[in-house]
Amino acid sequence: MLNDIQRGQFIKSLRNLEWDEERETKESDAKIFGRHFTVALTDSGCFYPFELKPSGVLFKGSKLPVNKRFDHSRADTIRDAFNADPNGFEAWCISNDVPMNELCRSGGGFSVGTIVFQRLMKL
């Protein structure tokens, strides 16, 4: 959970969402404390927010041989650190030499259980 100050910062970042008009679905991103969120806007005008959570796998770039592009060695530790304290995850990564720009992330897609909102939140 975000405290009041963090929630205010996150809401402020949502005011600046930029929708990519060239994509089939309209989506935009917001980030706070190393957490990455995507907000999708449906054709009916409803919002679908979801978080891109770290899988624990690090992507090491495309110049290495195919079998050495991904580092799975600390995947469980990275996932456990995120699940234990999502808002402290960025600080944990810094103190444990985990490069956040190399983290692979995955998020929710549309499914039967998807919850969409008429409006994102009171801004």
Side-chain angles (χ1 to χ4, degrees):
M1 296 300 278
L2 300 175
N3 66 34
D4 288 342
I5 293 171
Q6 295 166 335
R7 186 174 186 276
Q9 291 172 329
F10 183 65
I11 290 171
K12 185 177 179 181
S13 74
L14 293 175
R15 289 184 178 135
N16 300 316
L17 290 175
E18 296 180 14
W19 303 99
D20 186 348
E21 300 295 334
E22 296 180 14
R23 295 184 66 159
E24 189 174 313
T25 59
K26 293 183 180 180
E27 293 182 354
S28 195
D29 299 313
K31 298 177 184 176
I32 186 169
F33 304 114
R35 297 175 72 177
H36 296 224
F37 297 86
T38 293
V39 180
L41 180 63
T42 67
D43 289 338
S44 63
C46 292
F47 294 94
Y48 171 51
F50 59 92
E51 183 169 6
L52 297 168
K53 296 182 180 181
S55 65
V57 176
L58 299 173
F59 179 64
K60 295 299 192 178
S62 59
K63 294 184 179 180
L64 296 171
V66 173
N67 62 343
K68 293 187 179 181
R69 282 193 281 186
F70 297 95
D71 177 2
H72 298 261
S73 63
R74 297 187 283 172
D76 291 340
T77 303
I78 292 170
R79 276 193 310 271
D80 290 347
F82 178 83
N83 291 332
D85 183 9
N87 292 333
F89 183 65
E90 182 175 34
W92 181 90
C93 285
I94 291 167
S95 66
N96 287 277
D97 296 321
V98 174
M100 293 199 68
N101 63 333
E102 294 179 4
L103 278 171
C104 295
R105 297 174 183 267
S106 62
F110 290 101
S111 68
V112 174
T114 296
I115 299 172
V116 295
F117 301 90
Q118 295 258 329
R119 60 182 178 183
L120 197 49
M121 58 182 64
K122 286 186 176 182
L123 297 177

